Amino acid sequence: VSYLVQPNVKVHQPSPMPMAAHVASDHIHAITAITATNWYHSRHPREVSEEMNFQSISSNTVTMLLIKLHLFAILAPLAESLLQYQRLNLNNKSIHRHRHHNRHHNNHDLQMRLNPTSFKGTDYIITEFPRPSLRRTPNAPISKFDDEFSSKTQTMLSIMYESKGVGLAAPQIGLNELVFVYNPSDSKDMERVVCNPTITKFSEDVIVEEEGCLSLRSDECAGQVARSEWIETEYQNELGQKVRRRLKGFEARVFQHEYDHLKGILCYDRFPPEDREAVQQSIDRLLGLYDEDDALIDPDVEEARAAMPRPLSARWMPPLESNDDDVSKGGDDDVDVVFQKQKAKKGVGGFGMGGGGKKTGNKKEKKKKVKVRNAARSDNPKFKTTGKTKFASRK
């Protein structure tokens, strides 16, 4: 019979209950019955037959005592085996419940999407909240555009693809530099390397979409974010050449998301209060996983105040039909945002959630061509007088 020392120690499964234990159990019941009979007789001597004399009673008593001692010497080890067998079964049940509880508990903890722990050909990994590199500002500008820098940006693109993201900023791999990469499409022709960027103009029109982030394990920490529908940007490419572009739609959203990383701002900072509350449990889990004492939870105050467009003060819903010129969301002055009628659009396809964006513009209606008829081919007499219908002269 196996013995249990600790619940976590591997134990052998107990064998079926031994035959000796069954025999011991039956004998114990028999001895108990005989002992009970003798005890009853000793307590009620009047009911004992008068024909039984003291000598016979003494002889029977001695005989029974000898039998009890003999059986006790034989059955004691068997009884101990039986008790140990029962203890083993109880402990095994306890271990089963303990392991089942731990398995359920661990599955609950691993529900969040896990980023890869390593990437091919590099020691870089995804930096997750609340590591300080995600909040640290200002980041260092890029000044050397050499082969080493080119290799670094190719590594960033490789990590981005392997993580199934559409963008990756340097702070997300622990580098506090002003560079990010992105690709808003399925084609590698759309790969972009952006260095020392500036957004010179934000459109007043905004689009609200769900956003997530690799540094926040996007599947469990996503929410609504308002982004400008189009932006005007200036930056340097991987060769150091200056570029000016006007971006719109999904590419503009990706650019703004990665640009925020260079300012120490996460998409979580832009969530409305309802979404922040909904993902708070995931934020707390990430905080619990970080063991160091240098965690940075909040962005720089000045950078947060300068962030454009302003964060949502409430979860956005499509406005109802109204004759008003605009629909506004109330709240604090720092987070107010006004949606002009028919200009705040709910985008399709979330960012950072495994889906791509789509254009939301309205399609132009095709003009119908007017068919010109020649009256000379008509059998109607009234058309014969002029030779053509009144529509024949239209072009």
Side-chain angles (χ1 to χ4, degrees):
V1 180
S2 300
Y3 288 84
L4 295 180
V5 180
Q6 296 177 354
N8 292 330
V9 176
K10 184 177 180 181
V11 298
H12 299 289
Q13 292 296 328
S15 58
M17 184 175 178
M19 181 59 67
H22 286 289
V23 175
S25 178
D26 294 338
H27 287 181
I28 288 172
H29 285 296
I31 292 172
T32 303
I34 295 172
T35 304
T37 302
N38 289 338
W39 177 86
Y40 181 81
H41 287 173
S42 64
R43 293 293 181 178
H44 302 81
R46 294 181 181 178
E47 297 181 8
V48 179
S49 175
E50 295 180 355
E51 296 180 359
M52 183 178 295
N53 56 30
F54 176 79
Q55 185 178 0
S56 63
I57 293 176
S58 300
S59 177
N60 290 338
T61 302
V62 172
T63 303
M64 291 303 302
L65 286 174
L66 291 175
I67 293 174
K68 290 178 183 178
L69 290 174
H70 184 67
L71 290 176
F72 180 80
I74 296 175
L75 299 179
L78 299 178
E80 178 64 22
S81 176
L82 174 63
L83 293 175
Q84 183 61 32
Y85 176 84
Q86 293 174 340
R87 265 191 230 108
L88 185 60
N89 277 344
L90 290 174
N91 286 333
N92 278 339
K93 291 178 181 178
S94 176
I95 288 177
H96 177 74
R97 287 194 299 268
H98 178 73
R99 289 177 177 173
H100 178 74
H101 172 74
N102 282 348
R103 183 166 59 250
H104 175 73
H105 181 70
N106 292 337
N107 287 342
H108 179 70
D109 287 343
L110 297 178
Q111 284 180 352
M112 298 181 72
R113 167 182 172 176
L114 298 179
N115 288 312
T117 56
S118 62
F119 297 94
K120 296 178 182 179
T122 181
D123 293 331
Y124 292 128
I125 60 172
I126 297 295
T127 301
E128 296 181 347
F129 177 84
R131 291 187 178 275
S133 64
L134 292 173
R135 297 297 197 182
R136 191 176 292 133
T137 56
N139 290 301
I142 303 299
S143 57
K144 293 184 178 180
F145 299 88
D146 51 13
D147 293 341
E148 183 179 353
F149 175 75
S150 177
S151 175
K152 183 191 298 182
T153 57
Q154 289 302 313
T155 299
M156 291 177 65
L157 285 167
S158 176
I159 293 175
M160 180 190 75
Y161 289 130
E162 197 169 342
S163 302
K164 299 181 180 180
V166 293
L168 185 71
Q172 290 184 277
I173 57 172
L175 300 176
N176 288 108
E177 300 176 356
L178 292 177
V179 58
F180 64 80
V181 298
Y182 72 93
N183 186 347
S185 71
D186 296 330
S187 172
K188 289 198 174 184
D189 294 337
M190 289 292 291
E191 288 180 352
R192 296 288 183 267
V193 177
V194 178
C195 308
N196 310 321
T198 302
I199 298 180
T200 58
K201 192 172 183 179
F202 295 86
S203 69
E204 295 182 0
D205 303 342
V206 297
I207 297 178
V208 178
E209 284 187 7
E210 293 272 325
E211 279 191 21
C213 180
L214 293 175
S215 294
L216 293 170
R217 300 187 181 182
S218 57
D219 292 345
E220 291 291 329
C221 192
Q224 285 189 348
V225 176
R227 300 287 188 189
S228 292
E229 186 176 12
W230 57 264
I231 55 175
E232 292 181 359
T233 67
E234 293 181 2
Y235 61 89
Q236 291 175 276
N237 61 17
E238 64 273 23
L239 301 177
Q241 300 169 335
K242 292 186 177 181
V243 179
R244 291 183 180 179
R245 295 186 65 200
R246 180 187 174 101
L247 307 177
K248 61 180 181 179
F250 185 64
E251 185 176 6
R253 174 171 291 273
V254 176
F255 193 101
Q256 291 173 81
H257 180 104
E258 303 305 330
Y259 183 79
D260 273 355
H261 275 299
L262 304 185
K263 301 293 184 180
I265 297 173
L266 303 176
C267 60
Y268 167 76
D269 303 322
R270 294 180 173 273
F271 289 177
E274 299 93 329
D275 287 357
R276 289 175 67 92
E277 182 179 357
V279 301
Q280 189 58 49
Q281 186 177 4
S282 297
I283 294 296
D284 292 340
R285 288 179 191 170
L286 291 173
L287 288 170
L289 292 172
Y290 190 64
D291 298 330
E292 306 297 330
D293 57 358
D294 59 349
L296 289 179
I297 299 175
D298 299 316
D300 180 77
V301 176
E302 296 299 325
E303 293 291 357
R305 288 178 179 174
M308 292 293 294
R310 302 303 303 148
L312 294 170
S313 60
R315 189 169 177 81
W316 183 81
M317 296 294 290
L320 300 175
E321 293 183 1
S322 173
N323 294 327
D324 298 336
D325 292 335
D326 55 34
V327 179
S328 62
K329 294 283 185 182
D332 299 333
D333 293 338
D334 288 341
V335 293
D336 274 356
V337 57
V338 176
F339 297 101
Q340 297 183 3
K341 186 180 179 182
Q342 301 298 332
K343 289 189 177 182
K345 305 172 184 178
K346 181 67 171 67
V348 291
F351 172 70
M353 299 295 292
K358 297 181 181 179
K359 296 181 179 179
T360 56
N362 296 328
K363 295 183 179 180
K364 296 181 180 179
E365 294 184 359
K366 294 182 179 180
K367 294 182 179 180
K368 295 182 179 180
K369 295 182 179 180
V370 179
K371 187 175 181 180
V372 179
R373 297 179 58 189
N374 190 344
R377 300 174 62 182
S378 175
D379 295 333
N380 194 325
K382 74 176 184 178
F383 293 146
K384 296 294 184 181
T385 58
T386 60
K388 292 184 178 180
T389 66
K390 61 180 179 178
F391 300 106
S393 59
R394 289 191 180 184
K395 296 183 180 179

